[in-house]
Amino acid sequence: MGVWQKCAGKDLRARILQPGLMRYRSSAVVRVELGAAVSMAREISEQVLRPEAAAVDKEQRWPEKGMATLRSRLGGLVVPAEYGGMGHGLLAVAQVGEATGRACTSTSICFGMHLVGSAVIAAKASRRQREAYLDPIAAGEHLTTLALSEPGTGAEFWLPQTRMERVEGGRLRLTGSKSFVTNAGHADSYVVSTLAAGPGTPPGQFSCTVVDAAVPGLEWGSPWQGFGMRGNASRGLELRGAEIADWCLLGEEGDQIWYVFNIVAPYFLMAMAGTYLGVAAAALEEVRTHLLRRKGARAGRSAAEQPVVQHRLGTMWARVERTRRLIYHAAAEAEIGSPDALLGLASAKAEVAETAEATVNDALTLVGGVGYGEQSPLHRLLRDARAAHVMSPVTDLLRVWTGRALLDEPLLEG
């Protein structure tokens, strides 16, 4: 049984087409070893992402420079090696996400969504889809992303209402609304979830397609004006009868539930978990650096020499480290198809959301007024960290899923 197999209620379970966990890592030889890929992500983060992070936040602009660098050097991270990619899976997504999240949360989320979208396209790619999407993604020339959430479905992103109708000439016509599309207006393609419509169409048949950015009928909403995550270009999308070739359908008609719970959910949770682990690690390092810098800089006993400060810093380190180990363990367990992988994947994002928020708050307390200033990195980190609870699946839902899985209950009711 796949890790998400037990997630569905009776009606949904029948639509998860294949048993067993998806092969998250290609069996072919990985062209760039994981350690080298993570080192590359750290280098890009320090040299490109970090210098731009404050401006990206302040100007609320999409991080074009950072994304171009990540796309060109690591864009094919999760594309199978036989398609020219690096052939990595969930653990790489988490570790690269931590590296980028330490430097710029917005850029990290933007790149994470590209990785999730790449994994979805690769899962059941046809020859034409490999040539049109995976080859350029692996070459660092194509950016993709997800367009799943909708205004009317809330947290239940797996139940789209965007209509997909078959029309003459082997075409598919898409009509509907999407919300909070990361990389909106900047990606080269979008993975879109749909509901089949038209005469004789079975009810509740959900499918996934890939839509090129240049397709007529895509209308973008207002620019993102967020409390945090200001650079992720999260915008609404109206599909006004947008027509695509039928070979842009991913897998078979009705496969969307399978994609969501076997590919989207695991990869998305690891992209989020890695990013917000990076936020927590950055806050911990910020306060540690501050305390070391102040040590000996003033007469009398410094804050670093106070037992209460030492105790709180030690507690912060332990919180971040145990969350890191949970995330990496969950990714590794999922890659080998462990029956307990669902528990770790669901808990990883829930835990890191609480860890990131608590760690930044503690850092603000220890740094004091300097950290509370608007120019402090902690100011940005706190606003970015709060979004971890809001991004679906939200923390409360993940806790419920974990409890239901432990009790052998279906995750989704109905």
Side-chain angles (χ1 to χ4, degrees):
M1 180 181 290
V3 293
W4 293 97
Q5 201 80 317
K6 65 168 69 175
C7 73
K10 180 173 63 177
D11 293 339
L12 293 181
R13 185 181 292 123
R15 298 182 201 148
I16 299 179
L17 304 181
Q18 298 179 5
L21 182 68
M22 270 301 296
R23 183 186 61 176
Y24 291 118
R25 183 175 178 134
S26 169
S27 59
V29 176
V30 175
R31 297 186 177 184
V32 177
E33 291 300 324
L34 178 56
V38 175
S39 294
M40 195 182 304
R42 290 172 179 163
E43 177 185 321
I44 294 169
S45 297
E46 290 304 312
Q47 296 182 1
V48 183
L49 272 56
R50 189 179 299 282
E52 295 270 311
V56 164
D57 177 71
K58 183 177 181 180
E59 299 167 17
Q60 302 191 47
R61 61 175 167 84
W62 189 73
E64 183 174 4
K65 183 177 180 180
M67 286 298 293
T69 308
L70 287 167
R71 184 199 64 215
S72 65
R73 298 180 63 184
L74 287 168
L77 184 72
V78 300
V79 174
E82 56 262 39
Y83 304 155
M86 297 181 185
H88 288 294
L90 296 173
L91 185 57
V93 172
Q95 292 189 337
V96 166
E98 181 184 358
T100 53
R102 280 175 177 258
C104 179
T105 322
S106 289
T107 310
S108 187
I109 291 294
C110 289
F111 188 63
M113 293 308 96
H114 163 77
L115 296 179
V116 182
S118 299
V120 174
I121 296 171
K124 296 185 178 184
S126 66
R127 179 184 59 80
R128 293 188 74 171
Q129 289 166 357
R130 295 173 193 173
E131 293 173 352
Y133 301 107
L134 297 181
D135 285 352
I137 287 173
E141 299 168 352
H142 186 102
L143 184 72
T144 192
T145 195
L146 302 180
L148 305 184
S149 298
E150 298 187 0
T153 58
E156 296 179 320
F157 61 89
W158 54 87
L159 299 175
Q161 298 303 304
T162 294
R163 294 164 58 89
M164 181 185 77
E165 300 175 89
R166 289 191 175 273
V167 295
E168 294 181 359
R171 310 283 292 174
L172 301 173
R173 179 180 295 148
L174 308 180
T175 305
S177 301
K178 296 294 180 180
S179 57
F180 300 112
V181 180
T182 300
N183 295 316
H186 299 280
D188 300 299
S189 65
Y190 300 86
V191 172
V192 177
S193 54
T194 68
L195 172 64
T201 301
Q205 183 162 291
F206 306 112
S207 301
C208 283
T209 68
V210 58
V211 179
D212 286 332
V215 167
L218 303 186
E219 183 178 309
W220 292 106
S222 301
W224 172 242
Q225 301 288 328
F227 172 73
M229 304 299 300
R230 293 179 172 180
N232 70 348
S234 183
R235 299 166 71 179
L237 170 64
E238 291 290 332
L239 295 122
R240 302 189 181 278
E243 291 190 11
I244 58 176
D246 59 4
W247 60 262
C248 293
L249 180 72
L250 296 174
E252 303 293 331
E253 282 199 62
D255 276 5
Q256 186 256 6
I257 295 293
W258 180 89
Y259 275 109
V260 165
F261 289 105
N262 285 280
I263 308 297
V264 174
Y267 274 89
F268 182 85
L269 290 171
M270 284 298 99
M272 294 296 102
T275 290
Y276 286 103
L277 175 60
V279 170
L284 178 63
E285 185 58 27
E286 182 71 19
V287 67
R288 177 175 177 269
T289 301
H290 171 81
L291 292 170
L292 288 173
R293 185 169 58 244
R294 294 290 298 274
K295 187 178 180 180
R298 52 172 289 180
R301 201 175 189 189
S302 70
E305 296 172 289
Q306 300 289 339
V308 67
V309 172
Q310 296 163 355
H311 177 275
R312 294 193 68 164
L313 189 64
T315 301
M316 291 167 65
W317 180 91
R319 182 197 299 133
V320 172
E321 185 60 24
R322 66 174 175 259
T323 303
R324 176 181 290 113
R325 296 189 186 203
L326 169 63
I327 293 169
Y328 290 175
H329 179 71
E333 288 288 288
E335 288 188 344
I336 64 173
S338 167
D340 292 331
L342 167 59
L343 303 176
L345 290 171
S347 296
K349 179 178 177 290
E351 284 293 312
V352 80
E354 296 182 357
T355 293
E357 188 177 24
T359 303
V360 180
N361 273 319
D362 286 349
L364 281 164
T365 299
L366 291 180
V367 170
V370 174
Y372 201 69
E374 190 167 331
Q375 300 305 314
S376 167
L378 294 174
H379 185 277
R380 169 170 44 88
L381 291 174
L382 181 62
R383 290 184 285 102
D384 289 347
R386 192 61 186 82
H389 288 292
V390 179
M391 292 186 177
S392 188
V394 298
T395 302
D396 286 340
L397 180 59
L398 291 169
R399 297 299 195 195
V400 170
W401 281 0
T402 303
R404 286 178 176 171
L406 287 168
L407 296 171
D408 201 24
E409 292 288 325
L411 301 198
L412 306 182
E413 297 178 334

